[in-house]
Amino acid sequence: MNSTDLSVLKAAVDWLKSGHRVAIATVVQTWGSAPRPIGSWLAIRDDGQVTGSVSGGCVEDDLIRRVQAEILTRDLPEMVVYGVSQKEAARFGLPCGGTLRLLVEPKPELDVLEAILASISSHQITSRTVDLSTGKSKLESGNRNEAFICNDKLMKTTYGPRWRMVIIGAGQLSLYTADFALASDFEVIVIDPRDEYAEGINREHIQFIKGMPDDVLLEIGVDSHTAVVALTHDPKLDDMALMEALKSPAFYVGALGSRVNTQKRKDRLLEFDVTQEQVERLHGPVGLFIGALTPPEIAVSILAEVIAVKYGIPIPKKNLNKEKPDR
């Protein structure tokens, strides 16, 4: 779940707890060009307060009016469609004649929303199935590969924690990498035990942990939505963290270093409790080769590679036998 949809969930829980009536709208289908993906959320309070987005601002005003005037008085979920005709698409400002189909739930269940929020907080993935004939929801364990489903009987969607980037080292490159990761909607944790970085990175929304990276990785738990990037250039810190990261379900593990040093690192790791298969998961030199030279450019190359792996885009294999620029 991205930060926008997570904020919608938190707001809906708070509003329901305070006694407001709340409707939740979910994007269930799009045709043509659509600014928000399927599964995006919008919460509307009975007084017109709104959080989130389903169209980037095209239909929200009309949806708020309809929810306040009609939908909040009903008991069952209702399907709302915008942009059926070119004329209507133009009226609501949907790009390229796009069409948007929304499921609006006028009585979301507080206990269900709280359970989803709790599972996200504990880094669990949860599937919710809504029975459209009753409006009731059923929760069960889910996985990120489950497809979104919506038909005339039910809607099934999956909620999970935000994608997370753990950065080993608190130097200048880490700062730029953390900033770009935040902009890309990652939760960011920076780990560094060194006294000279004891104050941490002075950035809002970045969690700094002073401690040995391998110990901290075990403490925070690394799962399949976590990327681990080692950027200290100090084998004593990077290698210990990589040993734990490569044995974890992390979807991406990368380390700073030249091609020659990356091969040496892989050879060292094989001397410890790391298998050949696990070592081959290491992305090194970290980042896509784009000719980057400066710290911000290298940070861009790192985020580009992490995002590509996140979405399953093939990464060109790096030749460690020739010494070339890192990226």
Side-chain angles (χ1 to χ4, degrees):
M1 177 173 278
N2 62 36
S3 58
T4 299
D5 292 330
L6 183 58
S7 67
V8 171
L9 176 59
K10 291 178 178 178
V13 168
D14 290 342
W15 291 347
L16 288 168
K17 282 184 174 181
S18 64
H20 284 282
R21 290 178 299 161
V22 177
I24 291 179
T26 305
V27 178
V28 299
Q29 195 171 16
T30 63
W31 294 270
S33 178
R36 293 286 284 148
I38 289 174
S40 297
W41 274 15
L42 172 76
I44 303 171
R45 207 164 69 179
D46 49 15
D47 60 0
Q49 181 72 31
V50 63
T51 182
S53 173
V54 291
S55 75
C58 301
V59 307
E60 273 77 1
D61 287 346
D62 184 77
L63 182 61
I64 292 168
R65 179 191 61 77
R66 291 175 68 169
V67 166
Q68 287 184 292
E70 307 167 19
I71 297 177
L72 274 177
T73 64
R74 299 169 185 168
D75 295 324
L76 300 180
E78 181 171 329
M79 205 67 70
V80 178
V81 180
Y82 287 101
V84 173
S85 66
Q86 287 290 332
K87 181 178 179 181
E88 191 175 18
R91 172 191 168 197
F92 291 112
L94 291 171
C96 305
T99 301
L100 188 65
R101 190 168 175 236
L102 309 172
L103 181 71
V104 183
E105 300 172 71
K107 291 189 175 180
E109 302 155 279
L110 176 58
D111 58 338
V112 169
L113 298 184
E114 287 181 317
I116 295 172
L117 191 56
S119 71
I120 291 173
S121 299
S122 60
H123 295 276
Q124 302 298 313
I125 298 175
T126 300
S127 173
R128 179 173 75 116
T129 301
V130 183
D131 185 334
L132 302 190
S133 67
T134 65
K136 299 297 182 182
S137 296
K138 179 180 70 173
L139 298 181
E140 55 189 356
S141 297
N143 65 75
R144 289 191 183 275
N145 296 322
E146 288 185 273
F148 181 92
I149 299 173
C150 186
N151 53 41
D152 58 356
K153 295 182 180 180
L154 60 86
M155 177 183 72
K156 184 175 182 180
T157 189
T158 301
Y159 310 98
R162 290 175 63 191
W163 295 92
R164 179 171 58 170
M165 179 176 287
V166 179
I167 300 172
I168 310 302
Q172 185 184 39
L173 175 57
S174 297
L175 178 61
Y176 284 111
T177 304
D179 284 341
F180 288 133
L182 284 176
S184 302
D185 205 36
F186 283 85
E187 175 188 352
V188 179
I189 299 173
V190 177
I191 306 170
D192 201 312
R194 296 171 293 184
D195 290 337
E196 56 268 38
Y197 296 102
E199 296 300 320
I201 293 180
N202 187 22
R203 285 289 194 279
E204 189 178 5
H205 306 307
I206 296 177
Q207 181 183 2
F208 175 78
I209 302 176
K210 186 176 185 293
M212 290 302 295
D214 52 328
D215 293 335
V216 175
L217 287 178
L218 291 173
E219 290 171 6
I220 65 175
V222 176
D223 55 23
S224 60
H225 66 279
T226 302
V228 179
V229 183
L231 301 179
T232 71
H233 231 319
D234 182 345
K236 295 190 299 296
L237 300 178
D238 285 347
D239 287 5
M240 296 300 292
L242 292 171
M243 285 175 59
E244 298 302 333
L246 290 169
K247 291 184 288 185
S248 77
F251 77 91
Y252 177 95
V253 181
L256 186 67
S258 68
R259 282 163 167 74
V260 168
N261 286 334
T262 295
Q263 186 59 61
K264 291 179 179 178
R265 172 180 283 119
K266 287 187 172 185
D267 294 339
R268 287 197 304 271
L269 289 171
L270 287 172
E271 296 176 4
F272 296 94
D273 186 23
V274 185
T275 67
Q276 181 69 48
E277 183 180 7
Q278 290 167 340
V279 166
E280 291 307 315
R281 295 183 57 216
L282 178 65
H283 291 269
V286 68
L288 294 180
F289 178 69
I290 58 173
L293 297 175
T294 67
E297 290 173 346
I298 295 170
V300 168
S301 77
I302 292 171
L303 260 295
E305 186 169 67
V306 171
I307 292 170
V309 174
K310 171 185 171 184
Y311 290 116
I313 305 301
I315 302 296
K317 186 173 179 61
K318 296 167 185 175
N319 183 3
L320 300 185
N321 296 321
K322 285 188 176 182
E323 182 60 25
K324 296 179 181 177
D326 287 357
R327 54 200 52 78

